[in-house]
Amino acid sequence: MKNYFSSNFKLGVLGGGQLGKMLLTETQKFDIYTCILDATYEAPCAQICNEFHLGDLMDFDTVYNFGKKVNLLTIEIEHVNIEALQKLEEEGLEIYPQPSVLKTIQHKGKQKDFFVKNNIPTSPHKRFTSLDQLKKETLAFPFVWKSAQFGYDGTGVKIVKNQNDLNSLTNTDCIVEDLIPFKNELAVIVARNKNGETKTYPVVEMEFHPEANQVEYVICPARISENVAQKARNIALKVANSFEHIGLLAVEMFQTKDDEIIVNEVAPRTHNSGHYSIEASYTSQFEQHLRSILNLPLGNTDSKVAGIMVNLVGEEGFSGNVVYQNIEEILKMDGVTPHIYGKKQTRPFRKMGHVTIVNNDLSEARKIAENVKNTIRVISK
Amino acid sequence: MKNYFSSNFKLGVLGGGQLGKMLLTETQKFDIYTCILDATYEAPCAQICNEFHLGDLMDFDTVYNFGKKVNLLTIEIEHVNIEALQKLEEEGLEIYPQPSVLKTIQHKGKQKDFFVKNNIPTSPHKRFTSLDQLKKETLAFPFVWKSAQFGYDGTGVKIVKNQNDLNSLTNTDCIVEDLIPFKNELAVIVARNKNGETKTYPVVEMEFHPEANQVEYVICPARISENVAQKARNIALKVANSFEHIGLLAVEMFQTKDDEIIVNEVAPRTHNSGHYSIEASYTSQFEQHLRSILNLPLGNTDSKVAGIMVNLVGEEGFSGNVVYQNIEEILKMDGVTPHIYGKKQTRPFRKMGHVTIVNNDLSEARKIAENVKNTIRVISK
């Protein structure tokens, strides 16, 4: 094994956002020297990593030159220059997840084709190179439209119900999927290292607001049967093994009305759906990502206690210097931990932090989570 | 409440060692801007705080000038210039723990006098201004000798069994205590905020090596009766309330042969005996210290699971660039988390890190802890 701990080994990370910041907690714990590349000095990681490099993650030279300074490279965001990664890999740099995997996942069309080719259950889809091409096709409403690249947090995804919706879409490379009615939206995080060792985390469930159709709570464990949970974990594992993925892979899935599991999409990194693991799991997803990419033994993915995660997003109507109103009220509640990402400016719907609620009793945690959600407000002063 | 989160509030910390580093994990989580003062750029905190200041913690001007740059000041080591803190406090700076408390605790003679004055059970003691003065007294062997100031990790403490031992002592301000035979060495961490809200952590037990008389394991919960545990927590709470302490206070105690609890000494800060809390508790001691000094509501001190802590100290016969031999072996074990403090050079007995073992079953954790202890070695290359 290489000596990563208090050594001259340098880990490079593309991206310095909140996922990078929570990874730094783990590199600090293990004293692994970490270099971050991000486009802004305002990035949450900028002041707390060993070395911060300023630059555009989509620029070939910037990514290539950064890669030459480190001993192993990983990502906290998948929108990076893959050509630079491929050249670095050819020149011998270890990069996890592998550039070839990132390339497939970066493009939702290629990602879907990969699922089909590897017999991974997913909703039927068609690929189009532009909206114009799509419009020539006769498609039955409703359907799901996804921009092939650069969508995040629900941007680049639309349910198209009629001709009007169709006309509002961006003219870009895209895919169209059947709209599958589902009971539950689930996710499973898989860790896989170079030795091929794998571990799956328990299934989490996204609970939606009954009217707004927005995820309100990420709940672990999902309130589903053991049978369905096992099926979901097996399918997630199959996805990771099919990619021969190294690192963390978050697999988003639907549980259909007849209890089938179909894969929606994957993210090749630590994921919002795994934030609960910091407080609830024996091994947090961030530590597990490190273990995976460094080919260390994987940690126990079981939970110590039930966990629920609530995102802290900027409230509508507020822009400017952020204030976390009533944060002291939620700190009074049992088992409540706010994570503040360090973005100084709030904007409507901007992800500013999250709150984890842990408890021995999931239904008690669920009550406290609702109380948290109704109490804290992300506003500006 | 003041706005601490993603704001221009600046928290100052005197000392940049491992306790400061683990505190930074929490200030990062809450995005509280943190300035550290330490005498060396090699300090574990140096690269990962918002602002690092180089300087001597015992120097009046250095501490005073640092204090003028921050909005609230705390410590991670108690050997600091108290006069500078007193001047800063007079000028309106909030400093927690309070300089007056630090002054009493810094001096073991004053600390013992404080216990006696406040009816806190402790072993009988006498104070001497020098070894020469002590030698004029007729004392029955054996007794415990403690240097009044600047002892740490067992330095400055000796069991004096005969005239030879007496002659080997340093000629300094000191105290002499009766040697009390004890069943168990216990510790309780108390948190207290400005509102006077208090919480005690569960009692931990130090398990000693049967021959070497060194602490091998810190075990939470202590394997003692509920009755004794409650007595220990009550006495610890009484100590914190007597000081009107603000911040964390670690109270080290002995359980005597007849199940009395007597206080050995206190530390006005986060403590080695609370490291288990990072993985085992609902609220880690480091988050709790922040909550206390910022007058935020205190968090739940209960444990999610049982926890055992093993210190990683430099092995005898090794000095130089540190290597954590077999660290990958301990990472295979269930519920095992190494914390590497980031000191690049090992020396015999230097505290280089610690390992926490958590498990639902304390006796299972104890077995794994022994396996950890027998596996990992802190050596040099």
Side-chain angles (χ1 to χ4, degrees):
Chain A
M1 195 199 75
K2 278 188 200 135
N3 181 20
Y4 303 115
F5 307 87
S6 294
S7 77
N8 55 11
F9 171 87
K10 288 187 179 186
L11 173 66
V13 183
L14 297 177
Q18 62 264 20
L19 299 177
K21 186 187 170 200
M22 289 183 272
L23 185 68
L24 285 178
T25 302
E26 306 304 320
T27 59
Q28 290 170 8
K29 188 171 81 183
F30 287 166
D31 194 39
I32 295 172
Y33 190 99
T34 307
C35 310
I36 301 271
L37 179 67
D38 197 280
T40 167
Y41 283 120
E42 304 285 303
C45 291
Q47 294 190 10
I48 59 171
C49 55
N50 296 93
E51 262 180 47
F52 183 75
H53 297 255
L54 190 73
D56 181 356
L57 301 174
M58 294 304 294
D59 180 65
F60 182 93
D61 288 341
T62 303
V63 171
Y64 178 78
N65 291 331
F66 177 74
K68 291 310 254 186
K69 295 188 179 84
V70 302
N71 300 108
L72 191 146
L73 194 54
T74 189
I75 53 139
E76 63 105 50
I77 183 167
E78 59 272 36
H79 304 312
V80 296
N81 190 296
I82 299 289
E83 290 68 34
L85 295 188
Q86 286 174 323
K87 183 157 199 284
L88 287 163
E89 192 181 45
E90 279 164 25
E91 291 172 9
L93 185 65
E94 289 195 88
I95 305 174
Y96 303 119
Q98 306 92 316
S100 59
V101 176
L102 295 178
K103 194 171 181 177
T104 302
I105 292 175
Q106 246 189 16
H107 191 284
K108 287 184 183 171
K110 290 181 190 163
Q111 196 186 126
K112 286 288 272 192
D113 288 351
F114 181 88
F115 295 157
V116 173
K117 192 179 153 203
N118 288 277
N119 295 315
I120 291 155
T122 191
S123 58
H125 76 289
K126 281 187 181 168
R127 287 173 65 171
F128 299 95
T129 54
S130 68
L131 184 62
D132 299 335
Q133 194 201 15
L134 190 162
K135 283 179 173 171
K136 288 177 192 148
E137 194 91 357
T138 311
L139 293 162
F141 299 116
F143 61 82
V144 180
W145 170 91
K146 289 179 177 176
S147 166
Q149 293 195 72
F150 308 121
Y152 64 95
D153 290 353
T155 69
V157 178
K158 289 242 163 66
I159 295 176
V160 179
K161 293 176 187 149
N162 51 47
Q163 197 60 41
N164 261 358
D165 287 353
L166 189 60
N167 290 331
S168 73
L169 299 174
T170 315
N171 190 8
T172 186
D173 193 8
C174 61
I175 66 168
V176 156
E177 292 179 1
D178 288 2
L179 180 65
I180 307 278
F182 60 84
K183 265 190 204 171
N184 275 311
E185 198 168 327
L186 308 172
V188 171
I189 290 173
V190 186
R192 189 172 177 284
N193 68 15
K194 198 176 170 183
N195 284 349
E197 188 190 359
T198 55
K199 297 241 174 163
T200 60
Y201 277 85
V203 184
V204 301
E205 166 198 351
M206 323 296 164
E207 184 181 325
F208 285 73
H209 187 279
E211 286 105 46
N213 200 36
Q214 276 186 324
V215 176
E216 287 206 297
Y217 308 105
V218 176
I219 297 176
C220 182
R223 294 161 298 183
I224 56 176
S225 73
E226 182 46 41
N227 192 30
V228 173
Q230 198 51 58
K231 202 189 288 182
R233 289 174 88 155
N234 289 344
I235 288 173
L237 188 58
K238 185 177 175 182
V239 179
N241 281 330
S242 299
F243 278 118
E244 298 185 38
H245 187 83
I246 295 175
L248 244 58
L249 186 76
V251 184
E252 297 181 32
M253 292 172 283
F254 297 120
Q255 176 187 3
T256 65
K257 303 279 183 199
D258 52 354
D259 283 346
E260 288 308 309
I261 295 290
I262 62 173
V263 173
N264 179 24
E265 57 186 60
V266 299
R269 51 170 168 76
T270 57
H271 195 250
N272 195 264
S273 67
H275 288 350
Y276 79 91
S277 66
I278 298 174
E279 283 81 17
S281 306
Y282 282 93
T283 312
S284 93
Q285 65 165 339
F286 298 96
E287 179 179 331
Q288 197 76 292
H289 181 68
L290 265 188
R291 288 176 180 242
S292 308
I293 63 174
L294 300 179
N295 203 24
L296 293 167
L298 301 180
N300 183 350
T301 56
D302 291 345
S303 294
K304 298 168 191 168
V305 282
I308 299 187
M309 195 277 300
V310 174
N311 283 312
L312 291 179
V313 299
E315 197 164 310
E316 272 191 282
F318 294 92
S319 288
N321 292 335
V322 66
V323 176
Y324 296 90
Q325 198 181 53
N326 298 329
I327 190 166
E328 72 281 13
E329 293 303 316
I330 71 165
L331 285 170
K332 284 179 194 162
M333 301 175 192
D334 196 17
V336 167
T337 306
H339 290 255
I340 305 298
Y341 295 158
K343 301 170 188 176
K344 309 305 175 203
Q345 303 287 313
T346 184
R347 292 190 300 267
F349 308 113
R350 189 175 193 200
K351 269 192 196 168
M352 300 297 287
H354 74 264
V355 182
T356 308
I357 301 93
V358 292
N359 202 290
N360 261 323
D361 176 353
L362 179 60
S363 61
E364 184 60 27
R366 177 62 183 73
K367 281 181 211 156
I368 297 169
E370 191 159 333
N371 203 357
V372 166
K373 189 141 190 105
N374 293 335
T375 303
I376 190 164
R377 297 177 66 203
V378 183
I379 59 174
S380 57
K381 61 182 166 194
Chain B
M1 194 200 73
K2 278 190 201 133
N3 180 19
Y4 303 114
F5 308 88
S6 294
S7 77
N8 55 10
F9 171 86
K10 288 188 180 184
L11 173 65
V13 183
L14 297 178
Q18 62 263 21
L19 299 177
K21 186 188 172 201
M22 290 184 271
L23 185 69
L24 286 177
T25 302
E26 306 304 319
T27 60
Q28 292 170 7
K29 186 171 84 184
F30 288 166
D31 194 39
I32 296 172
Y33 190 98
T34 307
C35 310
I36 301 271
L37 178 67
D38 196 280
T40 167
Y41 283 120
E42 304 284 303
C45 291
Q47 295 191 8
I48 60 171
C49 56
N50 296 94
E51 263 180 46
F52 183 76
H53 297 256
L54 190 72
D56 179 356
L57 300 174
M58 293 305 294
D59 180 65
F60 181 93
D61 289 340
T62 304
V63 171
Y64 178 78
N65 292 331
F66 178 74
K68 292 310 254 185
K69 296 189 177 84
V70 302
N71 300 109
L72 191 146
L73 194 54
T74 190
I75 53 139
E76 63 104 50
I77 182 168
E78 59 271 37
H79 303 314
V80 297
N81 189 298
I82 299 289
E83 289 69 34
L85 296 187
Q86 284 173 325
K87 184 156 199 282
L88 288 163
E89 192 180 46
E90 277 164 25
E91 291 172 9
L93 185 65
E94 289 196 88
I95 305 173
Y96 302 119
Q98 306 93 314
S100 59
V101 176
L102 294 179
K103 194 171 180 175
T104 303
I105 291 175
Q106 245 188 16
H107 190 283
K108 287 185 183 170
K110 291 180 188 163
Q111 197 186 123
K112 286 288 272 190
D113 288 351
F114 182 89
F115 295 156
V116 173
K117 191 178 154 202
N118 288 278
N119 296 315
I120 291 155
T122 191
S123 58
H125 76 289
K126 281 187 180 168
R127 287 173 64 172
F128 299 96
T129 52
S130 68
L131 185 61
D132 298 334
Q133 195 200 16
L134 190 161
K135 283 180 174 172
K136 288 177 194 149
E137 194 93 356
T138 312
L139 293 162
F141 299 116
F143 61 81
V144 180
W145 171 91
K146 288 180 178 176
S147 165
Q149 293 195 73
F150 307 121
Y152 65 94
D153 291 353
T155 67
V157 178
K158 288 240 163 66
I159 295 177
V160 179
K161 292 175 188 150
N162 50 46
Q163 196 62 38
N164 260 357
D165 287 353
L166 189 60
N167 290 331
S168 73
L169 299 174
T170 316
N171 190 9
T172 186
D173 193 7
C174 62
I175 66 167
V176 157
E177 292 179 3
D178 288 3
L179 179 66
I180 306 277
F182 59 84
K183 265 191 205 170
N184 274 311
E185 197 168 327
L186 307 173
V188 171
I189 290 174
V190 186
R192 189 173 177 282
N193 69 15
K194 198 175 170 182
N195 285 348
E197 188 190 359
T198 54
K199 296 240 174 164
T200 59
Y201 277 85
V203 185
V204 301
E205 166 200 352
M206 324 296 164
E207 185 182 325
F208 285 72
H209 187 280
E211 284 105 46
N213 199 38
Q214 275 188 322
V215 175
E216 286 206 297
Y217 308 105
V218 176
I219 297 177
C220 182
R223 295 161 297 183
I224 56 176
S225 74
E226 182 45 43
N227 191 31
V228 172
Q230 198 51 58
K231 200 189 288 182
R233 289 174 86 155
N234 289 345
I235 287 174
L237 188 58
K238 184 176 175 183
V239 178
N241 281 330
S242 298
F243 278 118
E244 298 184 38
H245 187 82
I246 295 176
L248 243 58
L249 186 76
V251 183
E252 297 180 33
M253 292 172 285
F254 297 120
Q255 176 187 4
T256 65
K257 303 280 182 198
D258 52 354
D259 283 345
E260 288 307 308
I261 295 289
I262 61 172
V263 173
N264 179 23
E265 56 186 62
V266 300
R269 50 169 168 77
T270 57
H271 195 251
N272 194 264
S273 68
H275 289 349
Y276 80 91
S277 68
I278 299 174
E279 284 80 17
S281 305
Y282 281 94
T283 312
S284 92
Q285 66 164 340
F286 298 97
E287 179 179 332
Q288 196 76 292
H289 181 69
L290 265 188
R291 288 177 179 241
S292 309
I293 61 173
L294 300 179
N295 203 22
L296 293 167
L298 301 181
N300 183 349
T301 55
D302 291 345
S303 294
K304 300 169 191 168
V305 282
I308 299 187
M309 195 277 300
V310 174
N311 284 311
L312 291 180
V313 298
E315 197 165 310
E316 271 190 283
F318 294 91
S319 289
N321 292 334
V322 65
V323 175
Y324 296 91
Q325 197 181 54
N326 298 329
I327 190 167
E328 72 280 12
E329 294 302 316
I330 71 165
L331 286 169
K332 284 180 194 162
M333 301 174 193
D334 196 17
V336 167
T337 305
H339 290 256
I340 306 298
Y341 295 158
K343 302 171 187 174
K344 307 307 174 202
Q345 303 288 313
T346 185
R347 292 191 298 269
F349 308 114
R350 189 175 193 198
K351 269 191 195 167
M352 300 296 289
H354 74 264
V355 181
T356 308
I357 299 94
V358 292
N359 203 289
N360 262 323
D361 177 353
L362 180 61
S363 61
E364 184 61 26
R366 177 61 185 74
K367 280 181 212 156
I368 297 169
E370 191 159 332
N371 203 357
V372 165
K373 191 143 188 105
N374 292 335
T375 303
I376 191 165
R377 296 178 67 204
V378 183
I379 58 173
S380 58
K381 63 182 163 193

